[in-house]
Each structure stands twice: as C-alpha cells, then as structure tokens.
Amino acid sequence: MSSPPLTEPTFLILTALADTPQHGYGVIGDVLEISDGRVKLRAGTLYAVLDRLRTEGLIEVEREEVVQSRLRRYYRLTAVGAQRLAEEAARLRHNANTAGNRLRRRDLLAEGGVG
C-alpha cells in the first residue's frame, strides 16, 4: 500500500532538509526560497510539522546548541525520509508529465492534428 500524498508544506520542509541539516528558521527561509515566495511558514506551523515528521521517523534532530540563551535544534532527513521524499517527487513528476501530455494532445486536436 502506498503512502498518502504529502501536503505541499511537508514536501517543501523535507526538500529543505534534503541538502543539509537546518534549524527551524533556516527551514522557513529555505521553504520560502524553494517555493519562489509562495509558501510562508509560520513558526507554530513549522514546529508542529517538524514534531510530526520526527514521530514518523522522516527527520531527526542532528544536534542542539544554545544561541543567545535559546536552544537551537538542527534537523536532518533520515534514510526513511529521503525515500519518502523521493517517492513523492516521483509521484508529482508522473502527474505533471501526464498533465503536460494531455494538454499537448488537446492542443493538437484543437489545431486539427491527429490525436
């Protein structure tokens, strides 16, 4: 049985952690960049998702450090998380390719071409 699709914020958070471990606010900035400014995560939303992803074994805490008297946690993708992200990327790619093919076929039919 396949896993349910990831939400866009979850997909983007996992993508942000695919390269290198990051702390929460680094993830927020990276998600904003990856999404070309479309997805603006709030801290509360991010940390709720990070907690869920940790529970599911998709990410883990790499290290913790204290910065200006505040605890900063760095998260990284686990092997299971990398596999889940790869599966979701393949699913999205398949769907996008199917949509593109159908749109091209539609355009050919509209131009009087052969379908």
Side-chain angles (χ1 to χ4, degrees), residues 9-99:
T10 299
F11 178 81
L12 293 171
I13 289 167
L14 291 175
T15 300
L17 294 172
D19 273 349
T20 184
Q22 295 191 64
H23 57 78
Y25 285 102
V27 171
I28 288 173
D30 206 8
V31 164
L32 191 63
E33 182 181 330
I34 293 166
S35 69
D36 291 328
R38 286 182 308 100
V39 178
K40 297 175 180 129
L41 296 174
R42 294 182 185 268
T45 301
L46 172 70
Y47 288 106
V49 173
L50 290 174
D51 285 344
R52 181 177 52 78
L53 293 174
R54 281 181 64 197
T55 299
E56 293 173 1
L58 301 179
I59 66 170
E60 61 191 5
V61 174
E62 183 200 51
R63 70 182 188 278
E64 297 178 333
E65 59 187 37
V66 177
V67 177
Q68 296 178 345
S69 301
R70 296 188 67 176
L71 183 64
R72 181 179 285 176
R73 255 186 207 123
Y74 285 80
Y75 300 89
R76 72 170 166 217
L77 205 57
T78 63
V80 172
Q83 178 62 37
R84 183 69 182 89
L85 179 59
E87 290 168 359
E88 185 68 5
R91 184 189 73 79
L92 292 170
R93 196 168 26 258
H94 170 78
N95 290 348
N97 287 339
T98 299

